[in-house]
Amino acid sequence: MQIFNTLTRKKEPFVPVREGKVGIYACGPTVYNYFHIGNARPFILFDTLRRFLKHIGYDVTFVQNFTDIDDRMIKSANEQGTTVDAIAEKYIAEYFKDAQALGVLEADVHPRATKHIGEIIAIIKKLEAKGLAYAVDGDVYFDTQAYRANYGKLIGQNLDDPMDFALWKAQKPGEPFWKSPWGEGRPGWHIECSAMSMKYLGDTFDIHCGGVDLIFPHHENEIAQSEGATGKPFAKYWMHNGHINVDNKKMSKSEGNFFMVRDILKEYDAEAVRLFMLSAHYRSPINFSRELIEQATSSLERLYTARNTALFNREHAPERAMNADEQTFAERAKKAVEAFDAAMSDDLNTADALAAIFEHVRDMNSSLTADSAREAIDAGLNALGTMTDVLGLLRKDFDATPDEVKALVEQRVAAKKAKDFALADQIRQEVLDMGYIIEDTPKGPMVKKA
Ligand SMILES: [Zn+2]
């Protein structure tokens, strides 16, 4: 696999630190609210990265933290008249609901900052001992001047006058606090990701990812703290996803184009949102609009229809060996998966990977019928399933037809048997009004979404 590494600013072959294993750390949400579509993009993309690395045979450990202490957490707790911990518990539970809807798998570890105060303090002590941190009135800062030769690696420039940043913040009245060698207080933001990534993945690990807005200062500071403390390289590859715009504008509360995933999912299918996020390369900006989500919705329906049709055909397929045409189809199905893998291996090119899926679906639709050999239908379905599993799509049961529609289809079969064609036509129209088409095949009626 090739990965564009922000650290070296080029595409590099992926060589894991430990053979056969991959450790990934993704910066997770600050749990003071529901997450918005800007957050959803990295969740979906890096979940897809994880799925793909598993698919090509790696043993993947995926860590995504919850930031459960910071100014916004404290503000939210004060506004809602509750504790920071209660806010964290609430929005962590809400995170899992939305993530699950979007097909984002649970991480192997979802560490919380406040449960790692000991690890955080240990790193700060190391930095202090090395002369890279200093305390002032209960606050502790990272000394960027002392670390100057190595500061600016990720952004690719040495800063003339870099700002020192807080590793530990002295307690202010009304704020939650923990005991430390520098007095009561709480950790700064950057240090939590150094502590939690190294605890679960080792001092040096494979991939650190997040949104492009985290490159500076968050990730630059993570490198400084971690490498400053251990003297060893921190993450080997840095992957950053591009921005999300809404109707070609930056998403912001003041623009009124700020969307929580929770609200989007009231209107649109979560899988369509996922497909939309995968339709652009992860490093490019992506534009969110109703029109594009609607396009993604119909693309997704094409995938479901192709699968449902193939499953219907499979049920009625004759038991016989594949003929020459079917054998070539099965070969093409294999090639489709190879094209998909090649696209994904090229710096996670999900746009090209989706193109490989749709090409395969066109082939399935034109090559397979209810008279095809079961083995050929299986070759088509298996290729489709392999590819859509990696992208986290087609997660719903194949038979999404509502029971009322199914009952009407049965009534229509009975009506036709009784030669009551007027009733049969009436039922067909009724089903159409419900959004479904009945297609009569020599093997029986097949129901499709209109
Ligand atoms: Zn982070």
Side-chain angles (χ1 to χ4, degrees):
M1 184 176 188
Q2 300 266 326
I3 288 178
F4 182 89
N5 190 353
T6 309
L7 193 60
T8 56
R9 281 157 289 278
K10 57 177 192 254
K11 233 189 248 181
E12 293 176 359
F14 176 67
V15 183
V17 177
R18 285 163 280 268
E19 208 189 320
K21 294 186 192 306
V22 184
I24 306 176
Y25 185 86
C27 287
T30 302
V31 283
Y32 70 104
N33 203 340
Y34 300 102
F35 64 83
H36 57 72
I37 51 164
N39 305 126
R41 191 176 188 202
F43 298 156
I44 292 168
L45 292 172
F46 300 124
D47 174 73
T48 304
L49 169 72
R50 173 197 193 183
R51 287 168 182 261
F52 179 66
L53 288 168
K54 271 194 179 168
H55 163 70
I56 57 175
Y58 286 108
D59 175 6
V60 183
T61 305
F62 190 85
V63 181
Q64 183 182 290
N65 70 303
F66 287 119
T67 296
D68 60 353
I69 178 73
D70 84 337
D71 291 344
R72 289 169 299 179
M73 294 289 303
I74 295 168
K75 191 168 166 249
S76 188
N78 289 341
E79 279 168 4
Q80 297 187 34
T82 184
T83 62
V84 166
D85 200 53
I87 291 287
E89 291 286 344
K90 176 181 174 187
Y91 289 109
I92 286 172
E94 299 297 345
Y95 164 85
F96 283 119
K97 283 185 206 162
D98 288 343
Q100 194 186 25
L102 292 169
V104 173
L105 300 171
E106 265 189 44
D108 296 296
V109 195
H110 275 290
R112 287 173 57 172
T114 59
K115 311 283 183 206
H116 295 79
I117 301 293
E119 289 84 349
I120 289 170
I121 290 175
I123 297 176
I124 303 176
K125 279 166 84 175
K126 268 191 204 168
L127 290 170
E128 210 179 24
K130 290 189 172 186
L132 293 172
Y134 60 92
V136 187
D137 300 333
D139 290 328
V140 185
Y141 292 95
F142 185 88
D143 188 344
T144 48
Q145 282 298 336
Y147 194 69
R148 210 171 147 190
N150 288 306
Y151 194 76
K153 260 188 191 182
L154 194 61
I155 49 167
Q157 60 184 74
N158 268 91
L159 299 164
D160 286 337
D161 196 14
M163 293 254 290
D164 291 353
F165 56 89
L167 299 165
W168 189 261
K169 297 174 174 180
Q171 198 231 350
K172 286 189 207 130
E175 286 185 1
F177 63 88
W178 290 265
K179 286 190 164 62
S180 85
W182 313 279
E184 289 165 349
R186 60 180 167 105
W189 173 35
H190 317 301
I191 192 74
E192 67 172 84
C193 286
S194 288
M196 293 186 279
S197 58
M198 292 196 291
K199 169 160 183 182
Y200 296 103
L201 299 171
D203 291 349
T204 302
F205 60 90
D206 299 292
I207 303 172
H208 194 314
C209 40
V212 68
D213 52 319
L214 294 182
I215 295 176
F216 193 86
H218 186 53
H219 290 163
E220 188 70 58
N221 292 351
E222 274 189 50
I223 296 176
Q225 297 158 159
S226 308
E227 298 191 351
T230 66
K232 288 180 236 170
F234 183 49
K236 201 169 165 189
Y237 302 88
W238 287 83
M239 294 176 80
H240 291 101
N241 66 277
H243 285 297
I244 186 157
N245 292 320
V246 175
D247 294 325
N248 294 309
K249 279 185 211 137
K250 199 170 177 229
M251 185 169 65
S252 74
K253 281 187 180 128
S254 57
E255 283 280 353
N257 63 356
F258 194 86
F259 290 112
M260 295 298 179
V261 165
R262 183 63 52 104
D263 296 326
I264 302 277
L265 297 188
K266 284 178 194 151
E267 256 186 279
Y268 297 105
D269 184 303
E271 273 193 25
V273 174
R274 184 168 177 119
L275 191 147
F276 159 77
M277 293 288 187
L278 297 172
S279 64
H281 192 278
Y282 75 92
R283 284 192 284 120
S284 316
I286 192 168
N287 186 44
F288 180 91
S289 69
R290 276 170 197 281
E291 200 192 336
L292 291 171
I293 292 289
E294 271 150 28
Q295 270 176 30
T297 305
S298 45
S299 298
L300 185 67
E301 266 164 23
R302 260 160 65 209
L303 298 183
Y304 271 106
T305 302
R307 190 176 70 173
N308 290 357
T309 307
L311 284 168
F312 176 89
N313 289 341
R314 188 184 186 280
E315 243 176 82
H316 302 94
E319 284 298 346
R320 58 165 174 83
M322 289 195 286
N323 62 30
D325 281 352
E326 288 162 351
Q327 278 171 9
T328 9
F329 166 77
E331 277 306 309
R332 287 197 304 275
K334 236 189 249 171
K335 290 256 158 47
V337 178
E338 283 167 22
F340 173 89
D341 285 351
M344 293 293 280
S345 295
D346 181 13
D347 192 29
L348 208 70
N349 193 333
T350 53
D352 283 1
L354 277 169
I357 293 180
F358 283 103
E359 179 61 41
H360 173 62
V361 160
R362 269 190 292 278
D363 196 6
M364 277 174 78
N365 291 341
S366 61
S367 305
L368 299 175
T369 69
D371 293 318
S372 302
R374 184 163 294 170
E375 207 183 332
I377 298 172
D378 280 339
L381 280 169
N382 291 342
L384 179 64
T386 301
M387 296 188 281
T388 52
D389 279 354
V390 172
L391 297 189
L393 298 172
L394 296 195
R395 288 174 292 115
K396 279 175 275 192
D397 283 347
F398 96 89
D399 197 357
T401 314
D403 287 342
E404 308 125 272
V405 172
K406 277 190 216 162
L408 285 169
V409 173
E410 289 304 314
Q411 283 173 33
R412 184 169 166 274
V413 171
K416 279 177 73 180
K417 228 177 231 167
K419 306 224 180 292
D420 188 346
F421 298 110
L423 179 61
D425 284 350
Q426 191 192 317
I427 294 173
R428 180 203 286 271
Q429 186 56 46
E430 214 174 310
V431 167
L432 187 63
D433 292 342
M434 293 169 82
Y436 291 85
I437 297 172
I438 302 175
E439 237 173 63
D440 289 310
T441 78
K443 305 284 168 74
M446 185 163 67
V447 185
K448 282 183 178 174
K449 245 188 142 184

